[in-house]
Amino acid sequence: MKELKLGDNHETAVERADYPPAKVKQILGGETVAVLGYGVQGRGQSLNMRDNGVKVIVGQRKGGKAYDLCLQDGWVPGETLFDPEEAAAKGTVIQYLLSDAGQKDMWAKIKPHLTAGKALYFSHGFSIVYSDQTGVVPPKDVDVI
């Protein structure tokens, strides 16, 4: 870890060296990461984790370019590629990487699968910060990252 001073603020930054691949595999060894959405964030993050030995599944609606790209990238329907709702049910860490509008639209279908002990991960916080407009309010017994 590295201490940073930004003006009057002091922050601790986690560096890549703090979490080498072996440590990440140990931490996530019993987890299934469900990446919902296969746009810029979803594709990059899912492939990175898969290539580094993390158990990953993808939740992407059938049809369209993104689904075809999932198939081209080696995700297998029924094994590592599912509809978003099924992926959310199977995953223990849910990476909610749909567009802002997609997160709002899909929330009612995803929320029932966010059960106690799971983690919900956002790469950007629009839908959760503006929950009064999006309705994205995680259950209290789910960790939010």
Side-chain angles (χ1 to χ4, degrees):
M1 296 212 212
K2 186 176 195 175
E3 294 293 323
L4 300 174
K5 183 178 179 189
L6 304 168
D8 292 335
N9 296 313
H10 294 267
E11 294 188 24
T12 301
V14 176
E15 297 182 294
R16 182 179 300 209
D18 295 326
Y19 288 93
K23 187 172 182 177
V24 171
K25 287 179 197 174
Q26 178 186 8
I27 293 167
L28 295 176
E31 307 295 340
T32 298
V33 179
V35 176
L36 306 187
Y38 208 69
V40 174
Q41 293 283 334
R43 184 179 190 211
Q45 291 186 42
S46 62
L47 291 173
N48 184 317
M49 287 185 289
R50 183 181 74 182
D51 291 350
N52 282 286
V54 175
K55 183 178 179 184
V56 181
I57 60 176
V58 173
Q60 178 62 44
R61 293 178 294 263
K62 290 181 183 174
K65 293 178 185 178
Y67 190 83
D68 292 343
L69 192 55
C70 288
L71 297 174
Q72 289 174 23
D73 288 342
W75 301 103
V76 179
E79 291 179 26
T80 56
L81 178 59
F82 303 93
D83 287 329
E85 298 92 323
E86 188 174 358
K90 292 178 177 295
T92 55
V93 177
I94 314 304
Q95 288 193 286
Y96 205 35
L97 303 181
L98 302 169
S99 67
D100 295 331
Q103 287 185 13
K104 179 182 177 186
D105 291 344
M106 184 65 73
W107 184 248
K109 295 177 183 177
I110 298 303
K111 188 175 179 180
H113 303 292
L114 298 174
T115 54
K118 289 190 176 186
L120 178 62
Y121 170 100
F122 295 89
S123 281
H124 55 84
F126 180 86
S127 64
I128 194 167
V129 169
Y130 296 99
S131 60
D132 60 324
Q133 297 174 43
T134 65
V136 176
V137 180
K140 297 214 180 296
D141 54 0
V142 170
D143 292 325
V144 177
I145 303 166

